[in-house]
Every structure is written in C-alpha cells, then in structure tokens.
Amino acid sequence: MKLSTKHLLGIKDLCKEDIQLILDTAVNFKEVLQRPVKKVPSLRDVTIVNLFYENSTRTRISFELAEKRLSADTINFTASGSSAAKGETLLDTVNNILSMKVDMVVMRHSASGAPHFLAKHIPAAIVNAGDGINEHPTQALLDAFSMKEKFGSLEGLKVAIIGDIMHSRVALSNIYLLRKMGAEIIVAGPPTLIPKYITEAFNIKVEYNLKKALQWCDVANVLRIQLERQNQPLFSSLREYNIAYGISRSILEGLGKEITIMHPGPINRGVELDSDVADGPYSIILNQVENGVAVRMAVLYLLANREN
Ligand code: CP
C-alpha cells in the first residue's frame, strides 16, 4: 500500500487509511529498533534536509535518528548561524539546498502555513515538523501510536486534551487524527486558552473544570503553556494556572480510577504537570518520545516509497 499524499503537511489532509498505514508501518520499524543492529537500508539513496527555523529538541533529534536508522543521507539546517540571518528568503534557502540534489525536506517553522507555501514551489516531498500554531502531524501520529500500543485501539477511547489549546499545533493535529480514528475528545483549560471556534468547527465538548475532565477520560494529553506565543497575559500567573489546571499526584489518586498521562514536551514542571506525575506510574511521556523515531521512520519510508 502507498500513501495517498506526496507531502505530510498536516493530519487534516490525511485519510483514515493513510493514518492506519503509517501506524502499521511504524509497528514494523519499532521492531527493527529493538534489534541489536537498528539500521535498515531502506532509504540508502535518499538525501533529506532537516530545516529547523524554530527551536526543537525531541522532533529534530527524532527525525535525524529516524533518517540515520533508514540509512538516508542527512543535512541539518538551523536558521541561527545560516544566511537566513542575512535576510535570505525561505524559498531561496530551500532552492539553494535542493540544487545540491536533496530529495526530501523536513521542516519546522514559526509561521503557520510555511510548509504548505513551500510545497507549492518546490518539487521535493515535505514533512511538516511543526508550523506555528497550525499542525504538528508527526506528534499526533506518535501520540496515536502510543495510545494504540497501550489500549489496543483508538476507537471509543476517551481523550482529554488539556491546557493551552489556543496556541497548540499538537492539539489541532490530535483533534483531526482522533476524530478520523473514532476516539472521543474533550478539550479542557481556562476559557482564555480555548479558542471560541473549537466547539463549532469540531463539535467538541469544552470542559473548564480540570477534575471533571480527568474523571471523564482514559487519557489526558497535557499541553505546555506556550508563553512565547502569548502577546499579552491570558491568565493571572503561572502559580494560579497550576492551582486551577496543574495535575498533581493527589488529584490523580483522588479520581478513583487510573488514567494515562501524556505530554508532547517540553514540560513546564510545576505548572501543567507536577514532577511526580510526569515521572510517575501513569505517565507514558518517554514512551511517546521513543515511539517518535519509529513513527517518523514510517512517514519518511512511505513518502520516499511513494515517489519511486
Ligand atoms: N514535542 C515537540 O515538538 O518537542 P520539541 O519542540 O522539543 O521538538
């Protein structure tokens, strides 16, 4: 089977079959990653540039590792220290890189829609590694993989997405994906961090009471407060945010049921999650990071395979 799309720009553009194919392929790559020799020759003739115009730890390392495990040749570009600082446009930068015979572009950018713009102007396949407040498709795919690994199926799974929904590309990609795969979703957080359009656009229930959201769900996907994207304060203080929406061990123990805690990282410890929750028995946060490599191997392999 092949993906129906040339690029991975967002989950919005993927059909259910594409998502299933990526998740199934990732199972095979996860098995490869358990072997003593974790490398396969699948992308031996493929050159990939990792184009990061915005900070990243997990996504950048995960893509780079996925590419190396697939035997691709890789180039790493970060905006700081490049000619972007001298005013070179995104399109000029990418066309210069592509003239050196690069096949695929993995791209993170602070501008929503930057990879979609690029896809209209260059022949190479593009993987969106996070664009502004729009989408982060491989994060949603690795989140889905991790939930499927734990629960067997996404169908009917109750997922609460909690926190800074307004500025979160992870939230949007998760909503698209979970919807397509038959999960139930609520979003929870303070009214100022939940966009008004969300109920109408997605017909999603909004819950402003943290304990009620946790009581309802099987999985809480807790999001980082993105202070760097807030032009003006949207809540009184981090301390008060923590009092109203921070998840502590005692809150979880008071639920009378076990729920799974996820977080895309980086975590604001003591703000959205206490350390004994982030590192505790309910957390699968590091499993998410581990699964990111297999999922990104699957995405790169399937996109490269589609082109052949
Ligand atoms: N989850 C995530 O995108 O983390 P990074 O910003 O470190 O890549």
Side-chain angles (χ1 to χ4, degrees):
M1 276 182 73
K2 297 202 172 197
L3 287 178
S4 68
T5 172
K6 175 181 172 180
H7 309 285
L8 178 59
L9 299 177
I11 302 294
K12 186 180 180 191
D13 310 318
L14 291 188
C15 60
K16 187 174 176 180
E17 290 71 28
D18 285 334
I19 295 168
Q20 197 59 58
L21 177 59
I22 294 168
L23 297 179
D24 291 345
T25 308
V27 172
N28 297 331
F29 283 124
K30 182 147 186 191
E31 187 273 316
V32 168
L33 294 173
Q34 311 307 315
R35 296 179 194 163
V37 179
K38 300 172 177 58
K39 204 161 173 158
V40 287
S42 314
L43 297 193
R44 205 167 40 197
D45 300 323
V46 177
T47 304
I48 304 173
V49 60
N50 300 310
L51 204 63
F52 279 70
Y53 279 85
E54 197 189 62
N55 296 344
S56 169
T57 296
R58 280 145 290 271
T59 312
R60 192 165 57 81
I61 290 173
S62 180
F63 267 113
E64 199 181 331
L65 204 50
E67 291 152 10
K68 288 186 193 308
R69 301 293 192 221
L70 291 166
S71 306
D73 291 322
T74 63
I75 310 162
N76 293 311
F77 169 98
T78 47
S80 60
S82 78
S83 288
K86 299 177 196 162
E88 188 169 52
T89 66
L90 170 64
L91 194 51
D92 275 344
T93 298
V94 174
N95 274 328
N96 276 273
I97 292 170
L98 292 184
S99 72
M100 296 180 238
K101 309 291 178 227
V102 169
D103 304 296
M104 293 176 83
V105 177
V106 173
M107 180 186 183
R108 169 168 289 193
H109 204 287
S110 57
S112 300
H116 306 71
F117 163 78
L118 213 51
K120 291 197 178 95
H121 291 93
I122 64 166
I126 297 172
V127 182
N128 181 0
D131 64 320
I133 58 168
N134 181 39
E135 282 223 45
H136 193 348
T138 56
Q139 181 69 46
L141 286 161
L142 74 87
D143 289 347
F145 184 94
S146 305
M147 286 185 257
K148 211 160 169 281
E149 192 172 57
K150 169 127 197 187
F151 293 94
S153 170
L154 298 175
E155 186 80 41
L157 192 67
K158 291 181 173 172
V159 183
I161 303 174
I162 298 172
D164 187 354
I165 311 295
M166 176 88 78
H167 303 99
S168 176
R169 53 198 177 206
V170 176
L172 197 55
S173 286
N174 262 275
I175 289 168
Y176 283 129
L177 188 149
L178 292 167
R179 258 289 145 76
K180 288 175 200 240
M181 303 310 279
E184 292 181 47
I185 315 164
I186 63 170
V187 293
T192 49
L193 291 182
I194 298 182
K196 302 282 174 281
Y197 70 80
I198 208 146
T199 316
E200 203 171 307
F202 296 102
N203 193 24
I204 286 178
K205 188 169 175 277
V206 177
E207 178 58 71
Y208 299 118
N209 182 301
L210 175 69
K211 283 187 191 160
K212 283 188 185 166
L214 296 176
Q215 198 71 59
W216 172 84
C217 70
D218 303 307
V219 177
N221 197 350
V222 186
L223 305 177
R224 181 172 70 87
I225 297 295
Q226 302 197 31
L227 290 174
E228 76 277 19
R229 296 193 206 278
Q230 296 181 19
N231 297 325
Q232 56 195 33
L234 292 169
F235 49 87
S236 46
S237 70
L238 290 176
R239 177 160 165 66
E240 277 167 319
Y241 181 88
N242 176 255
I243 290 167
Y245 291 101
I247 302 180
S248 63
R249 187 76 171 260
S250 65
I251 290 177
L252 291 185
E253 285 173 356
L255 295 176
K257 62 181 254 194
E258 193 173 309
I259 65 166
T260 295
I261 299 291
M262 299 175 65
H263 193 298
I267 302 167
N268 293 310
R269 286 175 183 262
V271 179
E272 64 262 4
L273 281 184
D274 283 1
S275 281
D276 57 3
V277 173
D279 308 327
Y282 303 112
S283 167
I284 60 164
I285 293 170
L286 291 181
N287 303 72
Q288 291 172 259
V289 178
E290 179 188 350
N291 290 334
V293 179
V295 166
R296 290 178 173 120
M297 286 172 81
V299 166
L300 295 168
Y301 169 81
L302 289 166
L303 287 176
N305 192 256
R306 189 187 174 277
E307 292 217 306
N308 294 336

